């Protein structure tokens, strides 16, 4: 039996990731919203519908599954049948006051680690635990060794005195993380923009505001690169990484500008799905940035994250091609200008995902050079 499920998540005020779990109606154990596939409906759309029916939540469902797990589904006859469940991340944007299964289940937000412990299925535990891993703790002994190695890097006599006077490190890691936060906020606003509705102008302004904030951050980074004597990575690596991150938010802003300019109000499913992939790309980038502080300890996790970014970009390419084909077929018997406008929007969306692949490549380069 093949099923689909949503992994609902949000970011708390303190910056920690939270996972929404619900109880099953029969056994009252903690699960995620799930159900059978729906004919004619993509898996992530069906998962989004299950999340609404079972938990009363709505948001942005990523069309690329994050994993699969198995469990034994019990039938009313008492027999059980193995079910394979495909899990789609769902960025929660709101909770309704009424929904179909209201009152039949308990709902609770958990920190990621607690959510992984609360569910029973081993594969689901792994999926949730890996959704947002904290930076690795080196332990006191390794921290001591790293401190000793740092002190023994030839900083003796006059050279040590010279280093003590010069500004070191800068705020590069904080700046990477701050910029990633603008990517997350911009991606969320972009996905909401492509859903249409009465608040489109607000979402356009939100994207523009975050793009301006990102410009301020990259300006500070470029200033620090010139004035800081000792940097954590090569200067070119720092500017290249923040540069491709900034290109991503720039292309989000260009997408929003094109939508506002051409007064587009309705968007095909392929465009909406590409924006949902961008939300997932931004989330992964935001997770990766703090891990750069300890490349040796986090190399494996960074490899996993960059690998998913590359796969998401490939998924976006497929959506782009399918969307253009559908747009062309529709324009042949309609208004050719629709194809020109739609192609412009698709082009910007594709460039956003391309820039996230560039982010993955830059992070991989840092790992290779420094881990």
């Amino acid at each position: 039996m093949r099923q689909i499920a949503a992994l609902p998540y949000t970011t708390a005020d303190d910056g920690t990731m939270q996972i929404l779990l619900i109880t099953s109606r029969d056994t009252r154990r903690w699960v995620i919203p799930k159900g059978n596939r729906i004919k004619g409906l993509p898996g992530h759309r069906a998962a989004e519908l299950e999340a609404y029916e079972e938990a009363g939540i709505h948001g942005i469902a990523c069309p690329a599954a994050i994993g699969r797990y198995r469990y034994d589904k019990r039938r009313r006859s008492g027999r059980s049948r193995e079910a394979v469940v495909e899990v789609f991340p769902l960025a929660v944007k709101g909770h309704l006051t009424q929904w179909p299964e209201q009152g039949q289940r308990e709902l609770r937000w958990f920190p990621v680690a607690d959510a992984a412990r609360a569910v029973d299925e081993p594969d689901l535990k792994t999926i949730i635990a890996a959704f947002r891993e904290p930076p690795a703790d080196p332990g006191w002994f390794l921290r001591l060794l790293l401190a000793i190695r740092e002190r023994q890097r030839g900083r003796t006599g006059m050279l040590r005195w010279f280093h003590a006077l010069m500004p070191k490190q800068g705020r590069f890691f904080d700046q990477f993380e701050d910029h990633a936060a603008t990517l997350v906020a911009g991606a969320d606003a972009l996905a909401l923009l492509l859903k249409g509705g009465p608040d489109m102008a607000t979402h356009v302004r939100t994207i523009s505001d975050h793009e301006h904030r990102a410009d301020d951050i990259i300006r500070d980074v470029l200033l620090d690169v010139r004035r800081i004597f000792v940097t954590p990575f090569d200067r070119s690596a720092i500017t290249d990484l923040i540069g491709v991150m900034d290109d991503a938010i720039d292309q989000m802003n260009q997408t929003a500008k094109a939508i506002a300019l051409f007064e587009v109000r309705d968007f095909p499913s392929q465009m909406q799905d590409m924006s949902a992939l961008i939300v997932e790309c931004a989330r992964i980038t935001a997770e990766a940035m703090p891990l750069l502080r300890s490349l040796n300890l986090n190399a494996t996790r960074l490899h996993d994250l960059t690998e998913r970014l590359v796969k998401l970009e490939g998924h976006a390419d497929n959506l782009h091609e399918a969307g253009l084909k559908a747009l062309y077929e529709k324009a042949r018997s309609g208004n050719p200008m629709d194809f020109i406008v739609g192609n412009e929007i698709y082009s910007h969306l594709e460039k956003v995902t391309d820039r996230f692949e560039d982010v993955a490549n830059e992070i991989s380069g840092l790992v290779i050079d420094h881990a």
Side-chain angles (χ1 to χ4, degrees):
M1 177 182 292
R2 297 179 61 200
Q3 294 187 316
I4 45 80
L7 183 61
Y9 71 91
T10 191
T11 303
D13 293 337
D14 61 359
T16 60
M17 186 72 71
Q18 301 281 313
I19 302 293
L20 180 68
L21 298 182
I22 63 176
T23 55
S24 63
R25 285 183 292 189
D26 296 330
T27 62
R28 312 304 294 177
R29 59 193 177 87
W30 290 110
V31 296
I32 57 178
K34 67 179 185 298
N36 295 326
R37 288 184 170 272
I38 301 174
K39 187 176 180 180
L41 200 63
H44 66 291
R45 298 292 185 192
E48 193 174 10
L49 181 59
E50 290 294 337
Y52 155 69
E53 292 180 348
E54 297 182 0
I57 53 177
H58 63 87
I60 304 162
C62 176
I66 199 168
R68 295 176 177 83
Y69 72 95
R70 301 172 183 271
Y71 79 103
D72 291 330
K73 180 176 179 60
R74 293 187 178 276
R75 297 181 176 275
R76 293 180 179 178
S77 62
R79 296 182 177 180
S80 62
R81 182 181 179 185
E82 185 182 67
V84 179
V85 186
E86 199 168 21
V87 181
F88 297 89
L90 175 67
V92 177
K93 297 304 170 189
H95 201 189
L96 304 175
T97 56
Q98 293 182 329
W99 61 94
E101 298 183 17
Q102 186 174 9
Q104 301 179 27
R105 306 170 185 273
E106 181 182 351
L107 283 64
R108 186 185 303 174
W109 288 100
F110 290 84
V112 174
D114 293 346
R117 286 191 290 267
V119 299
D120 292 338
E121 297 81 4
D123 291 340
L124 181 56
K125 286 179 178 288
T126 301
I127 291 172
I128 295 176
F131 189 68
R132 185 67 178 264
E133 291 186 359
D137 182 5
W140 70 269
F141 183 69
L142 184 54
R143 283 196 297 268
L144 177 61
L145 288 179
L146 293 173
I148 293 173
R149 187 179 69 174
E150 181 67 23
R151 292 179 65 88
Q152 291 179 344
R153 283 182 174 176
R155 299 183 180 181
T156 58
M158 183 64 70
L159 184 59
R160 181 184 298 172
W161 175 83
F162 181 69
H163 275 271
L165 292 180
M166 299 303 295
K168 306 180 189 66
Q169 297 295 324
R171 295 184 55 254
F172 295 113
F173 294 118
D174 292 336
Q175 290 161 336
F176 288 150
E177 292 168 26
D178 290 345
H179 198 292
T182 69
L183 293 177
V184 171
D188 286 351
L190 180 64
L192 293 174
L193 174 63
L194 267 71
K195 286 181 177 291
D199 298 325
M200 292 180 63
T202 300
H203 300 318
V204 170
R205 288 194 299 271
T206 298
I207 296 169
S208 178
D209 291 342
H210 287 295
E211 192 270 340
H212 292 322
R213 169 61 180 150
D215 284 343
D216 293 337
I217 295 171
I218 192 172
R219 191 178 302 114
D220 291 341
V221 170
L222 296 178
L223 288 172
D224 285 352
V225 164
R226 289 195 291 269
R227 72 178 183 85
I228 298 298
F229 183 74
V230 180
T231 57
F233 311 125
D234 295 339
R235 297 172 197 277
S236 60
I238 293 173
T239 56
D240 288 347
L241 176 56
I242 199 70
V244 293
M245 291 171 64
D246 201 58
D247 289 342
I249 189 74
D250 284 345
Q251 287 300 325
M252 293 182 206
N253 194 36
Q254 290 299 318
T255 308
K257 285 183 176 180
I259 291 171
L261 175 64
F262 297 116
E263 298 181 348
V264 183
R265 292 291 180 265
D266 298 313
F267 305 92
S269 61
Q270 292 90 346
M271 283 187 185
Q272 294 181 358
D273 287 349
M274 288 183 75
S275 70
L277 286 173
I278 290 169
V279 170
E280 178 71 352
C281 287
R283 180 193 69 79
I284 293 171
T285 301
E287 179 182 350
M289 290 303 109
L291 304 182
L292 299 181
R293 296 175 182 266
S294 300
L295 284 175
N296 283 319
L297 300 173
N298 298 308
T300 300
R301 179 59 176 170
L302 285 169
H303 171 74
D304 293 340
L305 294 176
T306 54
E307 184 179 33
R308 178 157 172 81
L309 279 176
V310 172
K311 290 181 178 178
L312 291 173
E313 193 278 335
H315 196 135
D317 283 346
N318 294 334
L319 287 170
H320 180 221
E321 293 174 5
L324 280 182
K325 183 176 181 179
L327 198 63
Y328 175 72
E329 292 295 333
K330 183 178 180 181
R332 289 179 65 180
S333 57
N335 185 359
M337 281 300 299
D338 291 341
F339 178 81
I340 296 174
V341 172
N343 182 52
E344 177 76 7
I345 297 173
Y346 271 122
S347 177
H348 289 305
L349 289 171
E350 184 192 27
K351 289 176 182 177
V352 178
T353 59
D354 286 344
R355 298 295 79 78
F356 278 113
E357 184 182 27
D358 293 339
V359 170
N361 293 334
E362 292 296 336
I363 294 173
S364 296
L366 289 174
V367 173
I368 292 172
D369 291 342
H370 297 277

